[in-house]
């Protein structure tokens, strides 16, 4: 929001998995299935047992969801979810921030660069990171895993931060270290999982689950090249 970029359904995945999945389902429904859902342009949420209903657009309670207005509904629901109950506070924050740093200056950054700008780069304990990493279809002795940690140890701090950000969605490590890393559903260790059988593929990440899908590369230089390309050259590539 600070960058002035349009929100999309994928932005929901980290903060509200249930709504993200529900909107994805709506996007795939037929006209008849949508009509049977009996939804309209309103959003509801609960605070301390009290239910609040807000219209997504003027007279939204009288606008039924249909196949024709489905895309508009999804977009408005995404925007509402990020501002529900805090729209005034968000506006005040952005207005205050703009007085110190003009928001138009931020257009030169992407969201990852902005987080680094605001949070800075803390030191990353690679030994702690390795101790609290789990593996799927790999073992700690797999050559690809040994190459991965060789890569992490060789790259400078800035690239380590970008790698962490690529996989977890954040550039910061919890105060208690990697043992306290959180996912969308609670505590979630850093995970490396074997991905496919084609070493030509780039790695991909699942930030909700702190998981890196790592193809079975045949050589260290190949793994290094693919990881660097994923975390440095392609904004948002391979993130789910």
């Amino acid at each position: 929001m600070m960058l002035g970029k349009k929100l999309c359904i994928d932005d929901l995945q980290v903060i509200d998995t249930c709504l993200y999945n529900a909107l994805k389902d709506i996007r795939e429904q037929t006209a008849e299935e949508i009509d049977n859902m009996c939804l309209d342009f309103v959003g509801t949420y609960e605070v301390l047992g009290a239910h609040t209903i807000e219209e997504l657009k003027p007279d939204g309670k009288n606008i039924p969801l249909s196949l024709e207005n489905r895309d508009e509904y999804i977009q408005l629901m995404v925007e509402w979810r990020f501002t529900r109950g805090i729209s005034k506070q968000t506006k005040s924050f952005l207005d205050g921030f703009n007085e110190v740093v003009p928001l138009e200056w931020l257009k030169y950054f992407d969201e990852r660069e902005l987080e680094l700008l605001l949070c800075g780069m803390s030191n990353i304990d690679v030994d702690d990171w390795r101790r609290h990493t789990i593996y799927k279809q790999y073992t700690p002795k797999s050559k690809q895993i040994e190459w991965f940690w060789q890569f992490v140890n060789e790259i400078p701090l800035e690239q380590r931060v970008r790698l962490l950000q690529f996989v977890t969605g954040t550039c910061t490590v919890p105060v208690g270290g990697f043992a306290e890393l959180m996912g969308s559903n609670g505590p979630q260790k850093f995970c490396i999982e074997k991905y496919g059988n084609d070493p030509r593929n780039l790695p991909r990440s699942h930030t909700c689950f702190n998981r890196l899908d790592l193809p079975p590369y045949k050589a260290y230089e190949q793994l290094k090249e693919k990881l660097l390309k994923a975390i440095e050259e392609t904004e948002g590539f391979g993130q789910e």
Side-chain angles (χ1 to χ4, degrees), residues 109-134:
F109 301 94
D110 62 29
E111 56 271 20
R112 296 187 301 169
E113 292 169 336
L114 179 61
E115 184 183 15
L116 286 173
L117 179 68
L118 296 177
C119 301
M121 290 190 298
S122 58
N123 188 42
I124 295 178
D125 185 337
V126 177
D127 290 334
D128 179 62
W129 188 352
R130 189 168 187 169
R131 279 195 303 272
H132 295 100
T133 293
I134 59 176

Side-chain angles (χ1 to χ4, degrees), residues 11 44 125 127 234 238:
D11 294 319
T44 62
D125 185 337
D127 290 334
T234 314

Side-chain angles (χ1 to χ4, degrees), residues 24 26 57 74 90 92 112 133 138 147 158 220 239:
K24 281 188 65 178
I26 289 175
K57 61 185 298 186
I74 291 174
T90 300
S92 296
R112 296 187 301 169
T133 293
Y138 281 129
W147 290 338
E158 181 180 354
Y220 172 69
Q239 291 185 317

